[in-house]
Amino acid sequence: MSIGNSPEDERPIADVSPDVPDEASGDAPRESRPSVGRALQQARIAAGLTVDDITTATRVRIAIVHAIEADDFAPCGGDVYARGHIRTLAKAVGLDPADLLAQFDGEHGGRPAPTPAAPLFEAERIRPERRGPNWTAAMVAAIVAVIGFVGFTFVKGGDDGGNEASVAEGSQPTAGESASPSAEPKKPANPEPDPTDSAIAAAPRDKVTVKVTAADGRSWISAQDHNGRLLFDDILERGDSKTFQDDEKVKLVLGDAGAIELYVNGKRIEDDFQPGAVERLTYTKGDPQVG
């Protein structure tokens, strides 16, 4: 692994193998197309970038960048993740990701047939329900008014000596006094709910709902449902959000977990993800917990 290396130190070694004519077709020798890794390496060097520069810009680990440039895609963890890294690196060095992905698919058995994505639950579209009159506040105001009136009446009646004597002799309050609303405990006013509470309450209890937000930077995201069907596989730019929903569980791979903010079933995940770390997570129904 080379850290702090200059682009000149990583110039690709020229291919000195002789051109071999196509004996079957009789065509003249032609230059072979560079591999996916070699194309990415050549474009990076031509752009004057080091591996450290690419890692800083994309959050793809240095070891993975070196492996991909050597056409070793095993550290990526599978073709789906390799395609995501290729797309990210191609954009960083100014190449068209479509051409490299097509070449990669041709060399690895073709791209898997697309599968219909599970319906998404867009939690961010939920808005608080329109409320009617605030009867709780009105009730509290009425109780306060009644308590104030009763207190005033009690103080005013206390000026009468006969009443003082009655109290001194231990006389019992009248039935009307015992039924006074002042005996009722004061009910505290309910605080106004935060707008996000409505979105949390609206999350279906019979499904698992995961919202991913690139809060602190861009990150590559891959999401699958419980059948392994691909729901999303792309870069999430800073400030963007994606929400996924399934009947049983949602599987996630975060290219840069430190830049991601997660909400599962309406509750925020407080795990201390490190910047640049790749996390593989599975969430199910119920309380948020990694499955």
Side-chain angles (χ1 to χ4, degrees):
M1 178 177 67
S2 174
I3 298 179
N5 48 351
S6 64
E8 291 78 4
D9 296 333
E10 297 186 6
R11 290 195 180 107
I13 299 174
D15 187 359
V16 297
S17 59
D19 293 328
V20 179
D22 190 339
E23 297 179 356
S25 62
D27 294 339
R30 57 184 179 181
E31 184 180 355
S32 61
R33 182 179 183 182
S35 65
V36 173
R38 173 61 67 87
L40 289 171
Q41 184 187 53
Q42 291 176 344
R44 173 179 61 77
I45 296 174
L49 300 173
T50 66
V51 174
D52 289 340
D53 296 332
I54 295 298
T55 297
T56 302
T58 64
R59 301 296 181 91
V60 178
R61 288 180 294 174
I62 292 177
I64 293 181
V65 175
H66 277 297
I68 290 177
E69 289 188 353
D71 292 308
D72 179 10
F73 301 100
C76 297
D79 289 351
V80 173
Y81 309 127
R83 295 181 85 259
H85 289 318
I86 292 172
R87 182 184 292 107
T88 299
L89 297 180
K91 291 179 180 178
V93 299
L95 294 179
D96 184 4
D99 293 340
L100 292 179
L101 291 175
Q103 182 177 352
F104 176 82
D105 293 339
E107 296 172 353
H108 293 78
R111 184 177 182 179
T115 55
L120 300 182
F121 177 74
E122 298 292 346
E124 59 269 23
R125 294 184 179 178
I126 298 177
R127 297 291 183 270
E129 297 180 358
R130 185 173 298 175
R131 302 183 181 89
N134 193 336
W135 295 112
T136 301
M139 181 181 299
V140 171
I143 292 175
V144 171
V146 171
I147 292 175
F149 175 78
V150 173
F152 174 78
T153 303
F154 179 80
V155 172
K156 183 176 179 64
D159 294 338
D160 188 353
N163 287 340
E164 292 179 354
S166 173
V167 173
E169 294 173 0
S171 59
Q172 298 296 324
T174 63
E177 291 176 348
S178 62
S180 172
S182 62
E184 298 181 3
K186 181 179 179 180
K187 297 182 179 179
N190 293 329
E192 289 293 332
D194 186 82
T196 58
D197 292 344
S198 297
I200 294 174
R205 296 180 179 274
D206 59 342
K207 298 181 182 295
V208 54
T209 303
V210 178
K211 179 179 179 181
V212 183
T213 301
D216 297 327
R218 66 200 303 265
S219 175
W220 170 73
I221 303 295
S222 177
Q224 296 180 349
D225 64 8
H226 72 281
N227 289 322
R229 294 182 300 179
L230 190 63
L231 305 179
F232 184 78
D233 176 23
D234 208 338
I235 299 296
L236 204 61
E237 297 295 339
R238 182 169 187 169
D240 291 346
S241 296
K242 283 291 182 181
T243 307
F244 312 105
Q245 187 180 86
D246 188 67
D247 293 336
E248 297 182 14
K249 61 184 175 182
V250 172
K251 304 175 183 177
L252 292 176
V253 179
L254 309 179
D256 180 7
I260 295 302
E261 183 178 273
L262 281 179
Y263 284 84
V264 178
N265 298 325
K267 298 180 181 179
R268 182 172 179 175
I269 302 300
E270 301 293 346
D271 288 352
D272 186 17
F273 297 133
Q274 298 300 316
V278 177
E279 294 288 345
R280 291 174 171 82
L281 308 169
T282 301
Y283 292 103
T284 57
K285 295 182 289 187
D287 293 335
Q289 56 183 354
V290 180

